[in-house]
Amino acid sequence: MFGHEKPIAMTDSNVIRSHGTGFKTGLLAGMLGLSLMVLAAGAAGAAESAWDGIPSKKAPKLVTEGLTEQDHANLDKVFVKPGVNLASYGKVMLAPMDTAIERRFDEVLLSVRERDHAFEYMTKQLEEAFGPAMVKEAGPGVLKLAITFTDYVPNRSFHAEKARGGGTVDRVYSVGRAAFQATLTDSQTGQVVAVIADADMGLPFPDNINSYTIYGDADRFTRRWAKQIAKLVTGDAAS
């Protein structure tokens, strides 16, 4: 979730081309412009949760029929089947990850490299968070965890492809953001027992310490999400 009292609305990536002194001037102007846009968006009000602020028409609808929503201190959406104790399963297997990301016409597309990083980093963090509870095959007492990224914006993109109109941009500096939704099913029966979703966005310029990293913001969210999912499923306070 956002590190603010109220989540702020999503803003465009800031496109900056690298051309000598023009690049330096564009960078400073772009950083200031993005900061002002973010602050203005925050002042104008926003959705009730970070998740509600991610408008992706491509994202599959959360299937929550038969589930009960639970309050969670850090995750935007948590639905669990009544009477089910997730920790009673004891083990989790990871399904192949997916993306359902929509870009506006003035944004750049997520590259294959960036997508692969999102998948690989999330997998690594989940393996560390679950430890021996992460298994490879379905069976008794095993939950299947399927994760879909519904938004993913690195802090920096290089030779990024434009969402519309064709062509590429030398480099893009952005406030990082990411969102996911996950479904937990009984690996033997296929019954959905829980649905989780969350979205987050980095601090605006110039307060964002990850602004000159590639995946700093998104990686930070991913580490947190992996620990929170593991804690939710295993009930382990150390996760």
Side-chain angles (χ1 to χ4, degrees), residues 52-125:
D52 295 329
I54 302 289
S56 176
K57 295 180 181 178
K58 293 184 178 180
K61 183 179 179 180
L62 293 177
V63 181
T64 60
E65 184 177 356
L67 307 180
T68 300
E69 186 167 9
Q70 298 183 351
D71 291 332
H72 194 280
N74 299 298
L75 294 168
D76 289 331
K77 304 286 185 181
V78 175
F79 297 85
V80 179
K81 187 174 181 62
V84 170
N85 179 7
L86 298 178
S88 67
Y89 280 85
K91 297 179 181 178
V92 173
M93 63 174 290
L94 189 59
M97 295 185 192
D98 199 1
T99 59
I101 297 173
E102 182 177 24
R103 289 286 190 253
R104 295 200 297 268
F105 72 94
D106 55 347
E107 295 183 316
V108 295
L109 299 176
L110 185 73
S111 70
V112 173
R113 176 182 178 182
E114 292 163 350
R115 180 205 63 191
D116 289 349
H117 174 83
F119 290 176
E120 291 167 4
Y121 196 74
M122 175 64 90
T123 299
K124 177 184 176 182
Q125 296 305 310

Side-chain angles (χ1 to χ4, degrees), residues 5 13 37 41 51 59 64 78 85 99 107 109 116 127 163 170 181 196 201:
E5 292 183 2
S13 297
M37 284 191 293
W51 172 260
T64 60
V78 175
N85 179 7
T99 59
E107 295 183 316
L109 299 176
D116 289 349
E127 289 174 344
D170 290 348
Q181 60 188 53
I196 309 165
M201 182 177 183

Side-chain angles (χ1 to χ4, degrees), residues 93-227:
M93 63 174 290
L94 189 59
M97 295 185 192
D98 199 1
T99 59
I101 297 173
E102 182 177 24
R103 289 286 190 253
R104 295 200 297 268
F105 72 94
D106 55 347
E107 295 183 316
V108 295
L109 299 176
L110 185 73
S111 70
V112 173
R113 176 182 178 182
E114 292 163 350
R115 180 205 63 191
D116 289 349
H117 174 83
F119 290 176
E120 291 167 4
Y121 196 74
M122 175 64 90
T123 299
K124 177 184 176 182
Q125 296 305 310
L126 287 169
E127 289 174 344
E128 291 181 1
F130 278 100
M134 180 73 74
V135 297
K136 299 292 185 181
E137 298 180 357
V142 178
L143 286 170
K144 184 177 182 181
L145 174 61
I147 293 176
T148 297
F149 282 94
T150 55
D151 197 19
Y152 196 89
V153 176
N155 291 97
R156 300 177 78 178
S157 294
F158 299 93
H159 305 295
E161 183 179 352
K162 295 179 181 178
R164 294 185 186 178
T168 60
V169 181
D170 290 348
R171 65 182 68 187
V172 179
Y173 291 83
S174 303
V175 171
R177 69 178 194 251
F180 83 97
Q181 60 188 53
T183 301
L184 283 159
T185 59
D186 186 301
S187 67
Q188 288 192 301
T189 67
Q191 184 181 56
V192 176
V193 297
V195 171
I196 309 165
D198 196 64
D200 214 334
M201 182 177 183
L203 293 172
F205 298 122
D207 299 323
N208 193 324
I209 62 174
N210 293 313
S211 59
Y212 288 99
T213 67
I214 298 178
Y215 303 107
D217 281 332
D219 281 356
R220 179 168 60 87
F221 309 148
T222 299
R223 289 192 295 272
R224 175 173 61 79
W225 288 336
K227 292 178 181 178

Side-chain angles (χ1 to χ4, degrees), residues 1-37:
M1 300 177 70
F2 288 106
H4 308 277
E5 292 183 2
K6 290 186 178 181
I8 51 182
M10 298 304 167
T11 59
D12 297 345
S13 297
N14 183 35
V15 177
I16 300 173
R17 287 182 171 79
S18 174
H19 292 302
T21 56
F23 163 68
K24 294 180 181 179
T25 303
L27 174 58
L28 293 174
M31 289 172 64
L32 177 59
L34 185 56
S35 293
L36 292 175
M37 284 191 293

